[in-house]
């Protein structure tokens, strides 16, 4: 493998809090080892159009606490084509980039795997997604911030629900994964949690609402947007039909879950894997996602990281049933 001299760094797909911390770690680690760093704006789309620029230590000053990504992010349909990837490769050669660090989720790693196989450029990935749905790491960058954002919002919703004796159905992000809903539901004392990984039993939900009706002035249901029953509005419609006397409201938290200052946990995770990514490239790694498992840096092949078969902790589901009485 040729010696690496210039590492390109980019963010792709949905943004997540802590991406800037990861960018900072990649840039400063590369500089520490006397390597050049090239920033790529707007992910694969910017790679195709040549939106690349040299980065130095000042480029990442005062960003560790900022949400979003200073490199911007975008989805690229053109990169899905061989012609688009050929354009991207020519731009990388033009700027002297000979290795890449991609920060994102399954779409980012799928593209990286294909691109690296076609052109032989070493690429490693960092798990940047609020959904926590990647294999090969206990937590993804942004997950901790997102669940704290949700809990803070639901606590405030609980205040008004208590004041008006209302039932609130709160929808959180998670089209394919219910891990945001599961942990935030437990932390916020939700009466029920509906997630894509488990079949929604509407009759059991009604029974649980009946149990709480007698001695709880407020009730909170947490619904992942990808729940097979149809999300918060559909659940709200069913509940209103069953219990027309309930004062029921639906609240969709939406993209606020992606924003905000990253938590200490996300900043440290991003910093750890950012440093490890540069060192992994220097030691010949490629086609791998860098994560942390049981406190230790881990290396997972892209094809394993993106399988989307992260199992829901059965004990957490059991805890939901016990504590929702």
């Amino acid at each position: 493998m040729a010696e690496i001299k210039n590492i390109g760094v980019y963010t792709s797909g949905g943004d997540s809090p802590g991406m800037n911390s990861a960018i900072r770690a990649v840039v400063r680690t590369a500089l520490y080892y006397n390597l050049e760093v090239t920033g790529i704006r707007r992910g694969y789309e910017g790679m195709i159009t040549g939106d690349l620029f040299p980065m130095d230590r000042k480029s990442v000053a005062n960003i560790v606490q900022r949400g979003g990504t200073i490199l911007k992010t975008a989805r690229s349909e053109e990169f899905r084509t061989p012609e688009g990837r050929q354009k991207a490769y020519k731009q990388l050669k033009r700027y002297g980039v000979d290795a890449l660090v991609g920060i994102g989720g399954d779409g980012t790693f799928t593209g990286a795997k294909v691109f690296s196989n076609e052109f032989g450029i070493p690429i490693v990935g960092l798990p940047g997604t609020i959904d926590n749905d990647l294999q090969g790491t206990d937590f993804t960058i942004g997950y901790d911030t997102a669940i704290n954002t949700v809990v803070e919002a639901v606590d405030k919703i609980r205040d008004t629900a208590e004041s008006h004796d209302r039932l609130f159905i709160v929808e959180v992000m998670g089209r394919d994964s219910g891990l945001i809903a599961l942990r935030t539901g437990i932390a916020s004392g939700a009466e029920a949690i509906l997630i894509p990984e488990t079949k929604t039993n509407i009759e059991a939900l009604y029974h649980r609402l009946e149990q709480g009706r007698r001695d709880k002035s407020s009730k909170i249901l947490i619904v992942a947007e990808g729940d097979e029953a149809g999300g918060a509005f559909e659940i709200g419609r069913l509940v209103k039909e069953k219990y027309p006397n309930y004062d029921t409201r639906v609240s969709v938290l939406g993209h606020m879950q992606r924003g905000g200052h990253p938590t200490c946990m996300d900043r440290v995770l991003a910093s750890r894997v950012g440093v490890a990514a540069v060192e992994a490239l220097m030691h010949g790694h490629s086609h791998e996602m860098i994560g942390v498992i049981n406190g230790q840096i881990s290396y997972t092949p892209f094809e394993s990281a993106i399988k989307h078969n992260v199992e829901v902790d059965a004990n957490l589901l059991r805890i939901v049933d016990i504590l929702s009485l």
Side-chain angles (χ1 to χ4, degrees):
M1 180 178 178
E3 181 183 1
I4 291 172
K5 297 179 180 179
N6 188 331
I7 295 176
V9 58
Y10 64 99
T11 52
S12 175
D15 63 309
S16 63
M19 279 185 165
N20 282 327
S21 301
I23 295 167
R24 174 179 178 268
V26 170
V27 170
R28 294 200 168 176
T29 304
L31 295 175
Y32 177 84
Y33 287 112
N34 296 314
L35 302 174
E36 295 180 53
V37 192
T38 297
I40 304 168
R41 295 188 184 94
R42 297 179 297 111
Y44 293 121
E45 189 65 23
M47 202 180 293
I48 290 171
T49 61
D51 197 355
L52 286 72
F53 66 102
M55 300 186 76
D56 57 25
R57 59 182 302 275
K58 291 183 179 179
S59 303
V60 292
N62 199 33
I63 68 167
V64 70
Q65 79 282 7
R66 290 169 55 184
T69 163
I70 63 166
L71 292 178
K72 310 295 185 181
T73 182
R75 290 179 169 86
S76 176
E77 288 301 318
E78 189 175 5
F79 193 80
R80 297 176 183 269
T81 68
E83 295 79 12
R85 293 191 294 272
Q86 181 66 47
K87 290 180 184 178
Y89 180 71
K90 286 181 178 179
Q91 294 288 4
L92 294 180
K93 292 297 99 181
R94 175 186 168 198
Y95 284 88
V97 175
D98 46 28
L100 291 170
V101 176
I103 308 169
D106 57 343
T108 304
F109 301 155
T110 299
K113 179 174 177 287
V114 173
F115 190 57
S116 183
N117 285 337
E118 285 180 343
F119 299 102
I121 186 167
I123 309 178
V124 296
L126 303 185
T129 169
I130 66 170
D131 290 330
N132 202 42
D133 59 350
L134 296 170
Q135 293 278 15
T137 188
D138 291 334
F139 299 105
T140 56
I141 299 166
Y143 177 66
D144 187 68
T145 305
I147 60 177
N148 276 283
T149 297
V150 170
V151 169
E152 182 179 358
V154 174
D155 285 349
K156 293 175 180 178
I157 289 172
R158 175 79 76 175
D159 289 342
T160 187
E162 190 80 20
S163 299
H164 294 272
D165 294 339
R166 282 175 175 159
L167 162 64
F168 268 86
I169 302 169
V170 182
E171 182 176 288
V172 301
M173 283 186 163
R175 185 177 63 250
D176 301 307
S177 170
L179 296 179
I180 292 177
L182 184 56
R183 279 192 167 84
T184 59
I186 293 172
S188 59
E191 277 64 44
I193 303 168
L194 309 182
I195 59 177
E197 292 88 345
T198 60
K199 185 173 177 58
T200 297
N201 186 326
I202 295 298
E203 291 303 320
L205 175 62
Y206 294 157
H207 177 69
R208 186 165 294 178
L209 292 176
E210 284 285 355
Q211 280 186 316
R213 190 176 187 179
R214 295 183 294 273
D215 54 4
K216 291 183 180 181
S217 60
S218 68
K219 288 170 281 295
I220 300 288
L221 306 184
I222 302 290
V223 183
E225 62 180 324
D227 179 67
E228 49 87 23
F233 283 105
E234 178 61 17
I235 295 297
R237 184 187 67 79
L238 294 173
V239 170
K240 286 178 181 179
E241 286 182 357
K242 179 72 173 179
Y243 303 107
N245 294 328
Y246 270 20
D247 191 357
T248 304
R249 297 288 189 274
V250 173
S251 182
V252 178
L253 298 187
H255 286 78
M256 68 179 292
Q257 295 162 84
R258 284 188 178 171
H261 301 301
T263 61
C264 177
M265 291 290 290
D266 274 329
R267 298 183 200 192
V268 173
L269 171 61
S271 298
R272 289 190 66 189
V273 295
V275 171
V278 174
E279 294 177 339
L281 287 171
M282 294 173 62
H283 288 93
H285 288 256
S286 185
H287 296 75
E288 292 177 333
M289 184 195 79
I290 315 299
V292 175
I293 298 177
N294 295 328
Q296 302 299 315
I297 293 293
S298 63
Y299 307 89
T300 303
F302 283 146
E303 57 267 26
S304 298
I306 61 180
K307 283 185 176 177
H308 270 298
N309 59 348
V310 178
E311 294 184 2
V312 174
D313 188 334
N315 190 50
L316 290 181
L317 293 173
R318 185 178 70 89
I319 288 172
V320 172
D321 288 334
I322 292 172
L323 299 184
S324 61
L325 292 176

